[in-house]
Amino acid sequence: MAGGGRESADARSGKVTIGRISGLFGVKGWLKVQSYTDPRENIMNYNPWLLRLGEEWQTFDVEAVQTHGKSIIAKLRQVVDRDEAAGLLRSEIAIKREQLPALAENEYYWRDLQGLTVLNLAGVVLGKVEYLLETGANDVLVVRQDEREILIPYAPGEIVHAVDLANREMRVDWEADY
């Protein structure tokens, strides 16, 4: 399963949020970037970026991007100085869904699993996948129904028996404990 980090998406728009503008760097329009990708340097592989400015998304060409110590900094072609860069502070960074690498069969991006209805093998609805957690051993599905939260290991073939994206469902070998 691909994913990790805090990648998220707006299914209707086909945008995937991969980071945000977190600060300014220098006087020539460079920006500090907080990456949500895993590993964080993967944000450097995408061009162009879509930045949310208010309620609108604008496309920006990435002229240069690099690590700088523990930070990532980027220069956008349309931004020529620090004043213009300041107008982008705290903007979300997204890409078009088509820019993501293709996955092998039976691999999924985390955002594709979010919102799926989870049913056990007996057909009992356990809830919906709210988000996923990355742990050392395996990823964990956080499934919520009303006020109840269930943590289910994402173990394909063992616990997760089927993922049906078209019908927005996932079948798991997990008992309903209520």
Side-chain angles (χ1 to χ4, degrees):
M1 178 170 64
R6 297 186 317 183
E7 294 173 10
S8 64
D10 179 340
R12 292 176 304 282
S13 70
K15 293 176 186 64
V16 179
T17 303
I18 59 170
R20 74 177 188 89
I21 305 299
S22 61
L24 304 175
F25 185 82
V27 296
K28 295 185 179 182
W30 283 76
L31 300 157
K32 290 183 183 177
V33 174
Q34 178 183 4
S35 174
Y36 299 160
T37 64
D38 183 23
R40 70 183 177 89
E41 291 82 9
N42 277 358
I43 198 169
M44 296 169 31
N45 298 330
Y46 301 109
N47 192 7
W49 287 351
L50 304 169
L51 298 186
R52 184 191 300 262
L53 304 174
E55 295 300 316
E56 301 294 320
W57 290 93
Q58 279 189 356
T59 302
F60 287 84
D61 297 315
V62 180
E63 185 175 306
V65 62
Q66 64 190 47
T67 57
H68 183 77
K70 293 184 179 183
S71 299
I72 294 176
I73 58 173
K75 175 70 173 82
L76 304 178
R77 182 164 283 118
Q78 296 90 332
V79 180
V80 297
D81 61 30
R82 186 176 181 91
D83 291 337
E84 285 183 9
L88 303 177
L89 280 173
R90 292 175 290 289
S91 296
E92 290 179 82
I93 303 168
I95 58 171
K96 293 180 181 176
R97 168 85 182 179
E98 304 83 57
Q99 290 176 262
L100 293 173
L103 297 175
E105 187 175 340
N106 295 321
E107 284 190 339
Y108 307 95
Y109 284 105
W110 280 16
R111 61 101 26 229
D112 293 332
L113 301 178
Q114 293 171 341
L116 293 185
T117 299
V118 179
L119 301 100
N120 69 12
L121 298 179
V124 176
V125 174
L126 302 175
K128 290 187 183 273
V129 177
E130 188 164 296
Y131 59 94
L132 290 93
L133 298 171
E134 186 173 11
T135 66
N138 51 267
D139 298 329
V140 174
L141 301 162
V142 178
V143 178
R144 182 175 300 278
Q145 185 166 1
D146 301 320
E147 298 300 314
R148 191 175 46 102
E149 187 176 270
I150 304 169
L151 302 178
I152 301 174
Y154 184 85
E158 183 182 339
I159 294 172
V160 176
H161 284 256
V163 174
D164 183 348
L165 295 179
N167 290 313
R168 306 291 300 148
E169 291 182 349
M170 179 186 300
R171 295 280 177 163
V172 297
D173 188 359
W174 202 260
E175 293 299 318
D177 50 332
Y178 52 88

